[in-house]
Amino acid sequence: MSIRIQEADFDLAAELAELRAGDPRIGALTSFVGFVRDINDGNSVSEMMLEHYPGMCEKALAEIVSAAKARWEIVGVRVIHRVGRLQPGDQVVLVAVTSAHRGAAFAACEFIMDYLKTRAPFWKRETTPNGAHWVDARESDDSAATRWTPDGHRQ
Amino acid sequence: MSVRILYFAGLREAFGCPGENLDLPAAVSNVGALRALLVAQGRDLLASAKNLRCAVNQEMAAADTPVADGDEVAFFPPVTGG
């Protein structure tokens, strides 16, 4: 498993190629990439600042990936989350999962993303024409994370 | 007993500092008591913040989670990454 928190952008194709390189067990690779949107809750966003809790963030992500590995037979996982100042259209997060068959890769990728949204200590502050403000957590994110059962099914 | 307090996001911004070192009276032995002490010292936002979260030594904590000498205790709003 590879977990990185960084200010720099990432090369999506290169990251995915590296994740599956040299492992013929892999029959499936799924990836999710999140971007900064230019509109949030009706306001135009000119900049997004991402803050994190160094140390706890890496630990929380490692625990989430371990939980995914306990539920599904997956081969490799790569998580990259950017911090610092980002602009609309920028890549924010990558979650990529490899497995022998597609079912595990699809499910684990979504599971990791759902838990990242509610368990990993990152915070967004967006700048709009009305000024800068911290983004409120969404209840829909909490319900997305709690729909997963311990044996790897969605409720 | 001394602990390291950390603040993130809106709390860090409102308090104008990323954290503080605090000597705790013996009576303060868990997160809830520590939070009350900080509020009494003027950190009002720790009382009024909606859905305030806390971590002790980088693990999510509750009001009854023990706090011991040398611990790192962080307060922050619900997370919004991804």
Side-chain angles (χ1 to χ4, degrees):
Chain A
M1 103 173 70
S2 157
I3 292 168
R4 281 159 35 209
I5 297 167
Q6 61 189 42
E7 290 194 14
D9 197 8
F10 53 87
D11 179 337
L12 178 59
E15 297 294 343
L16 300 186
E18 202 179 296
L19 179 61
R20 67 170 287 247
D23 196 332
R25 289 176 300 167
I26 295 169
L29 186 162
T30 61
S31 65
F32 171 86
V33 181
F35 306 94
V36 179
R37 275 174 291 118
D38 67 345
I39 302 280
N40 191 26
D41 292 334
N43 292 312
S44 71
V45 175
S46 58
E47 185 180 87
M48 178 84 79
M49 204 279 291
L50 265 147
E51 176 172 327
H52 78 299
Y53 181 171
M56 180 172 173
C57 222
E58 290 83 349
K59 278 167 69 173
L61 291 172
E63 283 168 14
I64 293 165
V65 170
S66 294
K69 286 189 162 178
R71 283 172 167 81
W72 296 281
E73 292 207 5
I74 54 186
V75 176
V77 177
R78 181 158 299 201
V79 178
I80 303 174
H81 203 300
R82 295 180 66 195
V83 292
R85 293 181 189 288
L86 301 175
Q87 271 72 48
D90 282 353
Q91 302 184 124
V92 181
V93 59
L94 165 69
V95 173
V97 180
T98 56
S99 60
H101 304 286
R102 72 184 185 284
F106 271 128
C109 187
E110 191 170 26
F111 171 92
I112 291 168
M113 204 50 223
D114 282 350
Y115 274 81
L116 181 156
K117 297 281 288 188
T118 54
R119 303 285 199 279
F122 293 98
W123 301 274
K124 290 187 180 115
R125 191 188 65 174
E126 58 186 24
T127 304
T128 70
N130 305 322
H133 67 272
W134 293 94
V135 174
D136 284 330
R138 293 175 193 270
E139 277 181 29
S140 59
D141 287 335
D142 277 330
S143 52
T146 53
R147 68 189 166 167
W148 294 94
T149 62
D151 58 350
H153 291 93
R154 275 170 57 170
Q155 289 173 322
Chain B
M1 180 168 94
S2 160
V3 293
R4 176 72 187 157
I5 314 284
L6 299 176
Y7 303 117
F8 289 97
L11 293 174
R12 175 185 54 72
E13 210 168 58
F15 297 153
C17 72
E20 55 194 312
N21 292 313
L22 202 64
D23 288 321
L24 296 188
V28 175
S29 61
N30 65 28
V31 165
L34 172 59
R35 181 178 173 179
L37 176 70
L38 288 163
V39 170
Q41 291 184 349
R43 301 294 192 198
D44 295 356
L45 200 50
L46 293 179
S48 60
K50 201 175 147 201
N51 299 321
L52 184 76
R53 302 288 200 266
C54 179
V56 174
N57 297 328
Q58 307 188 349
E59 297 282 349
M60 290 306 297
D64 60 357
T65 302
V67 173
D69 187 44
D71 280 353
E72 175 178 292
V73 183
F75 292 97
F76 46 82
V79 304
T80 56

